[in-house]
Amino acid sequence: MTRSGFPGLRIVRTQGEVAQAFRDASLFIHGSAPSVTSPAQVREWKDKTGKPYGFFGITVSLSGEAASPSLSPETRELLSGANFVYTRDTFSLANLKKAGIQGPEMGFTPDGTFGFHLLDEAAGLRFLEENGLQPKRFIAIVPRLRYTPYHKTRKVTWSEEEIKRREAVNEKHAEADHAKLRVVAEAWIRKTGGKVLFCPEMTYQLEIIDPLLFDPLPAAVKKNVVRRKTFWRPDEAASVYKRAAAVISCECHSPIIAATQHTPCMYLHQPEDGVKGQMWRDLGLNEWYFPIEETRGEAVAERVLAIHADYPAAERKIRAALERAHKRHAETMAHVRRILESS
């Protein structure tokens, strides 16, 4: 999928290939992430090559903030020694300054997903046809637990106590959070006669779609609901979201993928998911950003139905936000280009 969009991409796996890439490359870029998630790789590049490096679209959290680790001495050193540090929200940019990071070029640039441009039209259109989803006559809804249960899918370093804590938080909020999404689904179906697609951003969400979203719905609206039963790649999702009337999500990146296709999108932000939700405000999407604990499902439904009532206005709004994102990408990448030209 990635090679189809970037034909010149070279993927390296062995130590020898990595060493050769270090010799060939002039710059190391740490991409969008909830923090400095690859410090060992950045450190190796820094120590072995002495060549420029930087961070593009990361979240920077301080002690006590959700989702991301606070600045360790190693992280602080790596950030201070970078040629540029661009955060994906202005809250993180303020954290950088509060932490006293000096030296690198710093600024705001949105998550790299705003640059997503891949589509799988064949798979996307096939899915729509098989499920009777007509363009702009359905909305897509993406669920999320407060903490992603990584311990069920990969090796983690969490203690048993931490796993139990996370599971308890998930159980505490799951019904209340997803009841709000159900309100949106039912309002859309009853008011527009359209359909609703329940779909995942992460694999585990396939298991929660039925108990948290579909099963509790009234029988009268279930006939207008489609449930994604298999996981999909983001290029197929993009082709489906391209034809949705709107995407409403408790995950951050599905609505961003929708935005790249000029589809109106809303983010119901759970506090355990960090501070990245600020980027929605940074891009002028305040009306489509909902801190979930401060939000009623009826309020989200009203906004979704407002989109339906004046779709051209909603399209103008999302296009303007995407233009802002691309403008910041272009401005910050211009600095990256200057580094390459001088190296």
Side-chain angles (χ1 to χ4, degrees):
M1 179 192 71
T2 310
R3 282 198 179 104
S4 71
F6 301 92
L9 175 70
R10 178 160 57 102
I11 298 174
V12 298
R13 293 183 173 88
T14 69
Q15 288 185 340
E17 289 174 324
V18 172
Q20 185 61 50
F22 274 29
R23 289 190 290 271
D24 294 343
S26 301
L27 175 68
F28 185 109
I29 300 178
H30 184 301
S32 289
S35 62
V36 179
T37 55
S38 302
Q41 289 81 357
V42 179
R43 167 67 63 187
E44 185 177 3
W45 168 270
K46 182 177 186 291
D47 292 346
K48 288 186 175 180
T49 74
K51 291 187 281 191
Y53 68 94
F55 301 87
F56 198 91
I58 64 169
T59 290
V60 176
S61 291
L62 302 180
S63 178
E65 293 173 1
S68 303
S70 58
L71 293 185
S72 66
E74 179 189 28
T75 300
R76 182 182 296 274
E77 180 189 352
L78 291 174
L79 290 171
S80 298
N83 292 76
F84 56 90
V85 180
Y86 294 124
T87 65
R88 60 182 176 177
D89 59 86
T90 55
F91 197 106
S92 291
L93 181 59
N95 279 346
L96 272 181
K97 297 175 180 177
K98 189 184 301 182
I101 302 299
Q102 298 179 348
E105 160 80 5
M106 296 191 298
F108 158 65
T109 202
D111 193 293
T113 311
F114 280 101
F116 192 82
H117 68 286
L118 307 180
L119 295 168
D120 186 341
E121 293 285 71
L125 290 172
R126 183 169 56 251
F127 177 79
L128 294 176
E129 183 177 357
E130 289 173 349
N131 291 280
L133 294 171
Q134 299 177 17
K136 302 305 176 182
R137 291 282 296 152
F138 72 95
I139 61 173
I141 293 180
V142 181
R144 183 184 185 274
L145 297 176
R146 291 296 181 99
Y147 287 108
T148 302
Y150 290 118
H151 60 286
K152 295 182 178 181
T153 59
R154 65 182 71 168
K155 186 176 181 180
V156 297
T157 58
W158 304 336
S159 66
E160 285 299 319
E161 290 75 15
E162 177 62 12
I163 290 173
K164 289 179 181 178
R165 185 189 72 82
R166 290 174 179 241
E167 289 182 338
V169 171
N170 285 346
E171 184 175 353
K172 177 182 178 181
H173 295 286
E175 167 56 23
D177 287 355
H178 292 86
K180 296 171 184 180
L181 296 177
R182 297 197 304 267
V183 168
V184 176
E186 185 173 353
W188 175 263
I189 291 169
R190 293 191 184 279
K191 297 290 187 180
T192 73
K195 291 190 173 184
V196 171
L197 168 63
F198 292 146
C199 53
E201 179 171 306
M202 301 191 73
T203 53
Y204 82 90
Q205 289 156 1
L206 291 169
E207 300 174 4
I208 66 174
I209 283 174
D210 277 7
L212 292 178
L213 291 177
F214 181 75
D215 291 348
L217 285 174
V221 303
K222 284 183 176 178
K223 61 184 176 61
N224 278 36
V225 173
V226 173
R227 292 163 288 165
R228 179 80 189 194
K229 295 291 191 177
T230 59
F231 198 63
W232 51 3
R233 300 187 317 191
D235 53 355
E236 180 183 353
S239 288
V240 171
Y241 293 160
K242 177 181 179 179
R243 294 163 176 88
V247 172
I248 300 92
S249 175
C250 287
E251 288 279 8
C252 183
H253 293 90
S254 292
I256 295 177
I257 291 173
T260 68
Q261 300 305 313
H262 307 126
T263 295
C265 48
M266 296 181 178
Y267 179 29
L268 277 67
H269 183 195
Q270 297 159 321
E272 291 79 6
D273 207 18
V275 300
K276 61 191 175 187
Q278 174 62 29
M279 80 176 106
W280 290 76
R281 292 172 170 145
D282 294 332
L283 294 174
L285 294 175
N286 307 52
E287 294 180 1
W288 294 348
Y289 171 71
F290 298 90
I292 198 163
E293 294 188 347
E294 304 168 18
T295 298
R296 295 169 57 251
E298 290 79 5
V300 183
E302 287 175 7
R303 295 282 171 83
V304 175
L305 293 173
I307 288 172
H308 176 69
D310 191 352
Y311 205 75
E315 284 187 310
R316 288 193 295 273
K317 178 187 288 288
I318 196 60
R319 287 176 182 271
L322 191 62
E323 287 175 6
R324 291 188 190 99
H326 289 172
K327 183 173 184 289
R328 283 304 298 153
H329 281 171
E331 291 168 347
T332 48
M333 269 297 170
H335 177 74
V336 175
R337 186 176 296 110
R338 288 192 291 271
I339 293 173
L340 284 172
E341 290 171 349
S342 63
S343 62

